[in-house]
Amino acid sequence: VTFSILMYAFHHYEAIMKNIGITNKYVYYGIVGNLCTMVFVVYFLLLTNKFNFSNKYLDFLGNISFEIYMLYGLVMHYLGKFFISSPVNDVIYMVVVLLVSIIFAYLIKQLIIVIEKKLIKAV
């Protein structure tokens, strides 16, 4: 309940700060904005603490998450040259980047596994 009240207050913190008389933008955009983010993270963790998110798809993505992280910037850079920005193209671009990143991440993960096995046999 406390975090729900804090989320409401921090969502409307600009109006509240103006009513109090604080008009310094550094205070209510910097300090209070960061407090709002921290309250949201704690609130989110409290809400998701009761849920079990494990399934085979998330486990698969979790196994290649580092590879996805390392590749998606490159994929975005190279595929961005072929897509003209529009609402439809942006969605297609996002899906293509996600799929290509997952495929390449999986292939790289398999390559790493093969190299590790060869190194273990060599040692």
Side-chain angles (χ1 to χ4, degrees):
V1 173
T2 304
F3 280 101
S4 297
I5 293 169
L6 286 173
M7 281 296 294
Y8 178 80
F10 283 135
H11 185 68
H12 300 291
Y13 66 89
E14 187 173 349
I16 293 169
M17 296 298 261
K18 284 181 182 178
N19 288 338
I20 294 173
I22 299 173
T23 58
N24 185 348
K25 290 185 187 266
Y26 292 113
V27 171
Y28 64 78
Y29 285 128
I31 297 170
V32 179
N34 286 327
L35 288 173
C36 179
T37 302
M38 288 187 281
V39 167
F40 173 77
V41 168
V42 171
Y43 190 72
F44 181 77
L45 290 174
L46 287 172
L47 285 176
T48 60
N49 193 23
K50 300 294 182 190
F51 298 115
N52 182 8
F53 290 106
S54 96
N55 61 43
K56 63 183 178 180
Y57 304 110
L58 291 179
D59 290 340
F60 170 73
L61 290 175
N63 287 332
I64 61 171
S65 61
F66 180 70
E67 289 82 4
I68 292 172
Y69 170 73
M70 296 300 290
L71 287 172
Y72 81 93
L74 288 170
V75 174
M76 285 175 55
H77 174 72
Y78 287 114
L79 290 180
K81 297 175 184 177
F82 302 106
F83 286 89
I84 299 170
S85 184
S86 75
V88 174
N89 280 346
D90 289 347
V91 171
I92 294 171
Y93 171 68
M94 178 192 68
V95 170
V96 170
V97 165
L98 183 64
L99 290 175
V100 170
S101 296
I102 290 172
I103 290 168
F104 280 134
Y106 177 75
L107 293 174
I108 288 176
K109 183 68 169 188
Q110 295 305 312
L111 180 66
I112 290 170
I113 291 171
V114 168
I115 291 171
E116 284 178 345
K117 286 181 181 178
K118 287 185 180 184
L119 285 175
I120 289 173
K121 284 183 182 179
V123 174

